[in-house]
Amino acid sequence: MSDLESPSTPRDVVVLGAGIIGLTSAVALAEAGHQVTLWTADDPADTTSARSAGVWSPIPQAPLDTTIAWASRTMRAFCDLSGRPGSGVSMLEGLTLDATDLGDLLPALSRLSPDLRPATPDELPEGFAHGRRYRVPVVDMEHYVPWMLDRLEAQGGKVRLQRVDSLDEALAMAPVVVNATGLAARDLAGDPTVRPLFCQYVVTDNPGLDRVLVDASRGGQWVSVIPHHDRVHLGGARVGGRTDPRPDRELASDVLRWCREIEPRLRNARTIRVDTGLLPTRPTMRVEAEARRDGLVVHAYGHATGGITVSWGAAADVVRLVAAG
Ligand SMILES: Cc1cc2nc3c(=O)[nH]c(=O)nc-3n(C[C@H](O)[C@H](O)[C@H](O)COP(=O)(O)OP(=O)(O)OC[C@H]3O[C@@H](n4cnc5c(N)ncnc54)[C@H](O)[C@@H]3O)c2cc1C
């Protein structure tokens, strides 16, 4: 059993969605003693979450106190998992380049990173005067997703490829349903505040990089270099209002150019693919219980650009709401 609250009564739970929020919630619920079945419309290896660059990167989503608590809990969980064979989680060195010396103005979320300190001048690329060093969890989703599925199955959890047309369809099968359907929650929960945000990363082979590098000096457009063992994810381009999930070639070549400016070793890196996804944004992230005639629905969606970063915190709240309901 995990450190999450144990249930007063084990319950049958259907978790809808095998993205990072559904999968983490399913594992947390199963490890708290519930009987969990995970239903997903897509193969768990082919969700928006599975295409994520996998870096713990705190974004100030509303409500901010909740984001800080969830990101902090997730940081602890990933620190514990780092180096666990097969998990795909590792702690890497990180460097963020800033336009100015943020000093005491550094947001509370950024202060959650272990070993945070100002970068020394010799640690900065040419043309940059300000930056910060820290350590950061990086999750290789190609390994993490199957590892989490094994962890779920080890607790008796089951996984089923199954698309639903309504939440009541799942409630007919179990008294508790977790709605972690990402963007699809817009229709399933009748929530028009859920909107898509196009996100794109270019994936190249790895010319020997082992440090996360973020250029936060360009205003709204953050540029990030996220290394995994055999490849590097270069991003993180975002375009609001775009509903076409196909790769944007022009944006991809801009991102490659920006990344090569701050990390010259990428000059000869070969592009393997371009990963894209439509992220579920919402004015506030939602983890909330709804009592229905046929049972309890716990909604868990709207985690936008930071689903990996808040996953274990959001899952802990799902477990708490299921136990309370
Ligand atoms: C290219 C890219 C890079 C990213 N990098 C990062 C990063 O480095 N760090 C970070 O924190 N975040 C990152 N993100 C954001 C992160 O991926 C999202 O926050 C996250 O995917 C949201 O997860 P989710 O579980 O809510 O939704 P999803 O991953 O979209 O999962 C939704 C699930 O619901 C299922 N579903 C949908 N409809 C139905 C239905 N009708 N019936 C049954 N099942 C259904 C789907 O099949 C799927 O299993 C990135 C995203 C992209 C696209």
Side-chain angles (χ1 to χ4, degrees):
M1 197 170 281
S2 71
D3 65 330
L4 301 173
E5 289 139 271
S6 46
S8 42
T9 322
R11 309 187 72 176
D12 279 336
V13 184
V14 166
V15 176
L16 289 176
I20 191 68
I21 301 299
L23 187 53
T24 315
S25 298
V27 168
L29 286 163
E31 292 183 350
H34 297 288
Q35 302 293 325
V36 178
T37 309
L38 184 62
W39 290 7
T40 174
D42 302 289
D43 186 312
D46 193 23
T47 62
T48 300
S49 299
R51 289 190 287 279
S52 153
V55 68
W56 181 94
S57 56
I59 308 290
Q61 277 172 267
L64 193 56
D65 285 354
T66 305
T67 309
I68 292 172
W70 288 355
S72 169
R73 185 161 192 141
T74 308
M75 170 66 85
R76 288 200 302 278
F78 287 150
C79 285
D80 288 348
L81 290 179
S82 71
R84 185 97 62 97
S87 70
V89 182
S90 31
M91 292 296 289
L92 298 186
E93 293 293 321
L95 167 65
T96 293
L97 308 168
D98 296 309
T100 56
D101 180 8
L102 290 177
D104 291 344
L105 296 176
L106 197 63
L109 271 169
S110 301
R111 294 184 187 282
L112 295 175
S113 303
D115 301 337
L116 180 70
R117 63 168 174 82
T120 56
D122 60 308
E123 291 172 328
L124 296 166
E126 211 183 310
F128 289 91
H130 307 285
R132 47 198 141 108
R133 297 292 310 268
Y134 46 85
R135 286 190 312 126
V136 64
V138 174
V139 181
D140 185 337
M141 297 302 284
E142 285 181 18
H143 293 276
Y144 189 64
V145 171
W147 186 82
M148 287 287 278
L149 289 168
D150 286 350
R151 191 168 157 175
L152 174 63
E153 282 168 12
Q155 294 297 326
K158 296 185 174 51
V159 180
R160 209 162 115 183
L161 263 186
Q162 167 99 30
R163 177 183 295 275
V164 297
D165 292 321
S166 73
L167 299 178
D168 288 334
E169 199 179 317
L171 272 179
M173 304 304 292
V176 182
V177 169
V178 177
N179 171 25
T181 53
L183 196 55
R186 181 182 166 91
D187 293 330
L188 287 171
D191 182 346
T193 66
V194 180
R195 291 179 193 281
L197 175 67
F198 176 82
C199 179
Q200 170 172 296
Y201 271 71
V202 178
V203 183
T204 69
D205 56 15
N206 189 344
L209 309 185
D210 57 4
R211 178 182 77 170
V212 169
L213 179 58
V214 178
D215 181 0
S217 72
R218 294 175 181 264
Q221 189 68 72
W222 283 36
V223 175
S224 34
V225 176
I226 318 296
H228 292 281
H229 232 67
D230 53 347
R231 56 188 203 283
V232 189
H233 293 237
L234 308 176
R238 291 160 196 161
V239 185
R242 177 179 164 142
T243 52
D244 180 355
R246 288 175 303 176
D248 182 324
R249 300 282 160 203
E250 203 174 316
L251 199 51
S253 73
D254 282 347
V255 165
L256 266 172
R257 183 164 41 81
W258 296 332
C259 289
R260 284 171 174 156
E261 279 167 19
I262 54 171
E263 180 45 270
R265 282 179 291 173
L266 286 165
R267 259 178 217 143
N268 296 321
R270 186 180 55 90
T271 298
I272 301 170
R273 60 175 194 264
V274 177
D275 283 343
T276 66
L278 296 176
L279 308 181
T281 68
R282 193 173 183 272
T284 57
M285 298 179 293
R286 185 178 192 198
V287 173
E288 198 172 49
E290 180 198 348
R292 291 198 174 188
R293 201 189 47 180
D294 294 330
L296 178 74
V297 175
V298 176
H299 298 283
Y301 59 84
H303 302 91
T305 57
I308 313 298
T309 308
V310 298
S311 52
W312 283 101
D317 272 13
V318 169
V319 173
R320 183 178 54 76
L321 291 171
V322 169

